[in-house]
Amino acid sequence: MRLCTVVGARPQFIKYAALHHAIHKYSQIEHVLIHTGQHYDHNMSGSFFKELGLPDPDINLSIGGHAPVKQISLMLEHIAKHLAEIKPDFVIVFGDTNSSLAAAIAASKLQIKIIHIEAGARSFNKDMPEEFNRIIIDRLADQLFVSSSSAMDNLKKEGLIRNAYLSGDVMKDMVFAAKQRNRITPKQTQQYIYATIHRPANTNTTQRLTDIMNGLNQLPHKVIFSLHPRTKKQLDQRDIQTEKYQNIEWIEPVGYFENLSFIQFAEAVITDSGGMQKEAYWLQTKCVTIRQDTEWPETLHDGWNTLVNDQLESINHLLSTNPTNHQAKLYGDGNAATAIMDNLL
Ligand code: UD1
Ligand code: UDP
């Protein structure tokens, strides 16, 4: 069997790492990895391949730094060219990025079967580019691997249940492996809150961006902020002086294990990242999500994760709550990649 996986953005290198180790248990599988180049800074891309023991991608399209329409159309053209040569039996895509959308469209035009991992997740917010991407990819996919029963319900409502399989979440495999290998270690002696923000809705206007920074600046603990390149660009272009937020310690994006370590030992995580909502849950750290919706509603139970959109001043109060009821089985048992490969074969 010949598989081709297409990745492009930071969370997809991490998701692919889980699958990579499962794929390579099977000698009958030939595998080609295409990296679109959507993320390209070393600390957003190359560092993950090294740290997670992944070989370099077989093909790197180096399509980064474009506006969405150009980005998707360039990816579509170049992915299609390579797929026509590789002739895989299946193309594998993860989640909701423009790289995944382009790969799914290219594969469908060439009548190559598509596997979607993390299928069925919905925010029901059509202003998010990712929501549109997820819906289209699920429609085009031939085999859907699903992280949670709520995502399965979404697929059911959309009439897409026939080829869907509840595998659990491959990101949980990675967190379990990191714990087992003792890769999660304290980074700080003082109490802190760990933050990341990168969604266009939170970064693309000066007002919203500064409202969020002001909110973080008033919290009772130091905020360590991992600065995504989109957010850095927006702060620079808007001439927002980061030094004036004295409660915030800005850091460059960190490696995967360092990031999990920051999450694990934080008083709370404040984020708009999809992946970090789940990681905070698995590591039993309280999370505040700066959005009006989430694709991961299970994390909201018992206050482990709380959505805050406009009432940013309410974060302070949320920090004093203590969720207790933690569900160990949420999003599977940490063996999703093996379940996916077994099901596929
Ligand atoms: C993308 C995904 C988003 C995902 C996020 C993960 C889409 C529509 N969005 O958003 O779902 O949550 O990745 O992090 O696919 N940039 C750099 N260096 C890099 C990467 C990006 O400078 O290594 C810059 C780009 O040039 C661009 C901006 O950051 O100006 C945004 O990058 P882009 O990949 O378009 O979207 P993300 O916000 O990263
Ligand atoms: N991450 C990381 N370093 C950082 C911030 C995040 O390794 O400085 C990891 C995090 O552990 C998670 C993934 O990146 O696995 C989440 O990616 P991101 O927030 O960029 O995208 P999203 O999940 O929102 O699509």
Side-chain angles (χ1 to χ4, degrees):
M1 184 194 289
R2 189 178 295 158
L3 303 178
C4 175
T5 303
V6 181
V7 292
R10 171 168 68 185
Q12 298 174 327
F13 312 137
I14 296 160
K15 292 167 197 180
Y16 172 67
L19 199 69
H20 174 84
H21 299 296
I23 287 176
H24 288 84
K25 285 183 198 152
Y26 299 95
S27 55
Q28 70 270 40
I29 296 179
E30 206 187 317
H31 183 260
V32 180
L33 181 65
I34 300 182
H35 183 341
T36 63
Q38 181 172 345
H39 285 179
Y40 48 89
D41 293 343
H42 181 69
N43 60 15
M44 293 295 289
S45 173
S47 67
F48 291 94
F49 285 81
K50 290 215 161 44
E51 186 183 14
L52 301 175
L54 301 174
D56 287 340
D58 300 291
I59 297 162
N60 193 327
L61 303 176
S62 303
I63 301 167
H66 298 286
V69 172
K70 180 141 190 216
Q71 185 182 59
I72 295 168
S73 57
L74 282 172
M75 286 176 186
L76 179 50
E77 183 184 339
H78 289 271
I79 295 169
K81 187 177 102 199
H82 286 286
L83 292 182
E85 283 162 14
I86 299 164
K87 298 189 173 48
D89 298 300
F90 294 95
V91 169
I92 302 176
V93 298
F94 299 94
D96 57 11
T97 66
N98 287 345
S99 296
S100 302
L101 176 69
I105 298 174
S108 81
K109 290 294 166 202
L110 295 168
Q111 299 189 318
I112 299 168
K113 290 201 182 321
I114 301 160
I115 295 168
H116 189 201
I117 297 180
E118 215 182 76
R122 299 283 182 269
S123 65
F124 302 100
N125 178 350
K126 287 204 174 147
D127 292 335
M128 288 182 72
E130 292 85 357
E131 181 71 355
F132 172 83
N133 291 353
R134 283 184 191 279
I135 291 170
I136 309 241
I137 299 167
D138 281 340
R139 283 267 153 198
L140 295 177
D142 298 277
Q143 184 70 40
L144 300 122
F145 290 107
V146 184
S147 299
S148 68
S149 36
S150 75
M152 206 65 161
D153 290 343
N154 295 334
L155 291 174
K156 205 173 194 172
K157 284 179 199 137
E158 294 174 31
L160 295 177
I161 201 92
R162 201 164 58 88
N163 295 323
Y165 177 76
L166 187 60
S167 57
D169 196 303
V170 291
M171 292 187 95
K172 189 170 187 180
D173 300 15
M174 294 298 289
V175 170
F176 273 31
K179 275 183 164 175
Q180 266 162 15
R181 289 183 215 150
N182 294 321
R183 298 300 302 266
I184 304 182
T185 52
K187 296 284 156 209
Q188 293 275 318
T189 45
Q190 65 178 128
Q191 289 180 312
Y192 65 92
I193 289 163
Y194 190 47
T196 66
I197 294 289
H198 72 272
R199 299 279 163 205
N202 284 335
T203 58
N204 284 4
T205 66
T206 305
Q207 185 68 52
R208 180 68 178 161
L209 200 47
T210 53
D211 281 352
I212 293 172
M213 298 312 156
N214 284 328
L216 297 181
N217 206 36
Q218 283 156 23
L219 294 177
H221 302 295
K222 174 174 85 165
V223 174
I224 299 179
F225 193 113
S226 163
L227 192 51
H228 188 283
R230 173 190 287 277
T231 313
K232 182 172 181 357
K233 276 193 177 172
Q234 293 292 342
L235 288 165
D236 290 347
Q237 278 167 17
R238 293 165 194 288
D239 214 12
I240 299 170
Q241 308 296 320
T242 50
E243 309 80 60
K244 93 175 190 216
Y245 300 100
Q246 295 208 335
N247 193 40
I248 305 179
E249 180 182 327
W250 306 89
I251 59 170
E252 293 282 316
V254 294
Y256 176 65
F257 298 118
E258 191 170 358
N259 196 63
L260 292 185
S261 302
F262 272 125
I263 296 174
Q264 169 81 80
F265 297 100
E267 295 305 301
V269 165
I270 299 182
T271 192
D272 58 8
S273 159
M276 281 181 49
Q277 294 174 58
K278 290 181 285 178
E279 289 166 345
Y281 186 82
W282 295 321
L283 295 172
Q284 302 195 37
T285 299
K286 201 164 37 182
C287 183
V288 176
T289 297
I290 309 295
R291 284 178 47 184
Q292 55 190 342
D293 38 57
T294 177
E295 301 81 12
W296 310 109
E298 298 82 359
T299 59
L300 300 172
H301 87 88
D302 209 31
W304 281 102
N305 183 15
T306 307
L307 299 174
V308 172
N309 199 44
D310 297 326
Q311 311 288 320
L312 293 166
E313 62 289 351
S314 68
I315 297 175
N316 240 322
H317 162 70
L318 291 170
L319 296 179
S320 58
T321 62
N322 284 315
T324 47
N325 172 19
H326 190 265
Q327 295 174 12
K329 293 278 180 191
L330 220 53
Y331 303 111
D333 58 5
N335 283 307
T338 303
I340 288 170
M341 290 314 298
D342 285 350
N343 180 277
L344 197 58
L345 286 166

